[in-house]
Structure formats: structure tokens, C-alpha cells
Amino acid sequence: MFIQARKLSIARGFSNAAVNKFKTSTLLPQQPGFHSVETYVRSVNNESEEVLVLIKWESKKNWQNWGKRDRNTYWAWK
């Protein structure tokens, strides 16, 4: 198993949108070797929050293949 960790700094009040983007993605589950997504939110200060996203893959190679995908599909997540 390979775990990709991403930390996003987001303006307070907008973390739910980021979490929902990962949780409801139909693109990620279609990728070979995709296992699951976990998200965690923590308050940093009165202005921002951090979203930690853990994306689990069966192998590092599966993750690398995801990284080689057409970058235009990233913005089409649904």
C-alpha cells in the first residue's frame, strides 16, 4: 500500500468544499490501484483551516500512473 498525503491551506469556511471534492470524486475510484480517500480538517487560526488528504493506492506505481494522467481531467472532477 502507498499513501499519498496532501495538505491544503484553505480560507476558513471553505474546507467542506475541498473535503467534498475528494469524497465525491468519481474520477479517483476509476483509477487502477485506487484504494480510498481519508480527509481531516483542523483549524489553524481565525482566517484559515488545513485539510489533510490521504489517498491510498495499492502501490507506488499506481500513484505514479495517476500522476501521469491528462492534467485537464483534474479540473473535471465530479
Side-chain angles (χ1 to χ4, degrees):
M1 172 130 345
F2 181 81
I3 300 174
Q4 174 190 12
R6 304 183 102 182
K7 184 169 69 170
L8 311 171
S9 295
I10 298 181
R12 182 175 278 293
F14 292 94
S15 60
N16 282 343
V19 167
N20 285 338
K21 190 73 160 175
F22 284 96
K23 291 279 189 180
T24 62
S25 170
T26 57
L27 183 61
L28 273 174
Q30 295 176 22
Q31 303 310 304
F34 171 79
H35 189 268
S36 65
V37 173
E38 294 179 20
T39 55
Y40 302 91
V41 178
R42 87 174 178 104
S43 180
V44 176
N45 55 41
N46 288 337
E47 298 172 359
S48 65
E49 298 170 315
E50 286 182 347
V51 177
L52 176 63
V53 181
L54 302 177
I55 304 174
K56 297 181 180 180
W57 299 91
E58 288 181 16
S59 69
K60 185 174 182 178
K61 185 68 175 165
N62 290 128
W63 168 71
Q64 289 170 330
N65 289 338
W66 164 249
K68 293 176 186 175
R69 75 200 181 285
D70 178 2
R71 294 293 177 188
N72 293 323
T73 61
Y74 177 81
W75 302 108
W77 278 20
K78 281 202 159 221

